[in-house]
Amino acid sequence: MSKLDVLTPLNSQVIFIDHQPQMAFGVQSIDRQQLKNNTVGLAKAARIFGIPTTITTVETESFSGHSYPELLDVFPDAPLLERSSMNSWDDQKVRDALMGHATAGATKVVVSGLWTEVCNLTFALSCMKDTDLEIYMVADASGGTTKEAH
């Protein structure tokens, strides 16, 4: 597979990183309702096209709260990969899920997450350092603490 191949349902996967209320509270780069709508729209597209999807959460009980119910409604049976590190790639469950999809040919990872400058960035850099996976950020389904940081 070439890095020049366009995204298709067969060569891509989606990861939703930390779409949780307390994380969304800090977002200043996009209207929070628009962010949620865009995230749910991406999730619905992934489901309709049968794209493998991973959902992560961080510190659900102690800080961040539960994932958007609207996101979970799209994937009611998806496991939520809970972690304590801000970098999703640090968690073995997340790496296993993504690499499992990659083994099946989904080597292009579409990322939607909070916050762009922390959770998305550290995940992307770590993943690219350790693998040949390609990273595609969905800017309007992600949010940062400032427009500049995003």
Side-chain angles (χ1 to χ4, degrees):
M1 183 173 310
S2 167
K3 290 184 185 261
L4 298 178
D5 290 342
V6 297
L7 292 166
T8 71
L10 298 176
N11 70 10
S12 61
Q13 59 179 297
V14 179
I15 184 169
F16 291 96
I17 300 174
D18 306 344
H19 284 281
Q20 299 164 265
Q22 195 61 29
M23 300 302 290
F25 181 73
V27 170
Q28 300 296 315
S29 63
I30 184 174
D31 175 78
R32 291 183 201 114
Q33 187 61 54
Q34 182 181 5
L35 169 66
K36 185 185 285 189
N37 293 346
N38 295 344
T39 300
V40 172
L42 177 63
K44 287 178 178 180
R47 186 190 69 211
I48 288 167
F49 286 104
I51 298 171
T53 300
T54 302
I55 302 174
T56 75
T57 55
V58 64
E59 296 292 347
T60 297
E61 296 299 328
S62 63
F63 177 73
S64 300
H66 295 277
S67 293
Y68 295 154
E70 299 89 343
L71 175 60
L72 299 181
D73 286 346
V74 178
F75 298 107
D77 300 321
L80 300 178
L81 304 183
E82 175 75 14
R83 356 170 286 290
S84 58
S85 165
M86 292 306 284
N87 183 351
S88 294
W89 191 251
D90 287 344
D91 189 277
Q92 188 64 49
K93 296 180 303 287
V94 174
R95 290 193 307 270
D96 289 347
L98 295 173
M99 295 312 294
H101 299 314
T103 300
T107 59
K108 298 174 184 284
V109 182
V110 177
V111 179
S112 167
L114 306 178
W115 300 319
T116 310
E117 68 273 24
V118 180
C119 301
N120 288 13
L121 180 63
T122 58
F123 162 77
L125 293 175
S126 298
C127 180
M128 290 188 304
K129 176 182 175 281
D130 292 346
T131 73
D132 289 330
L133 297 178
E134 298 172 46
I135 303 295
Y136 296 81
M137 296 286 179
V138 184
D140 66 352
S142 297
T145 58
T146 66
K147 288 185 179 192
E148 294 80 9
H150 178 67

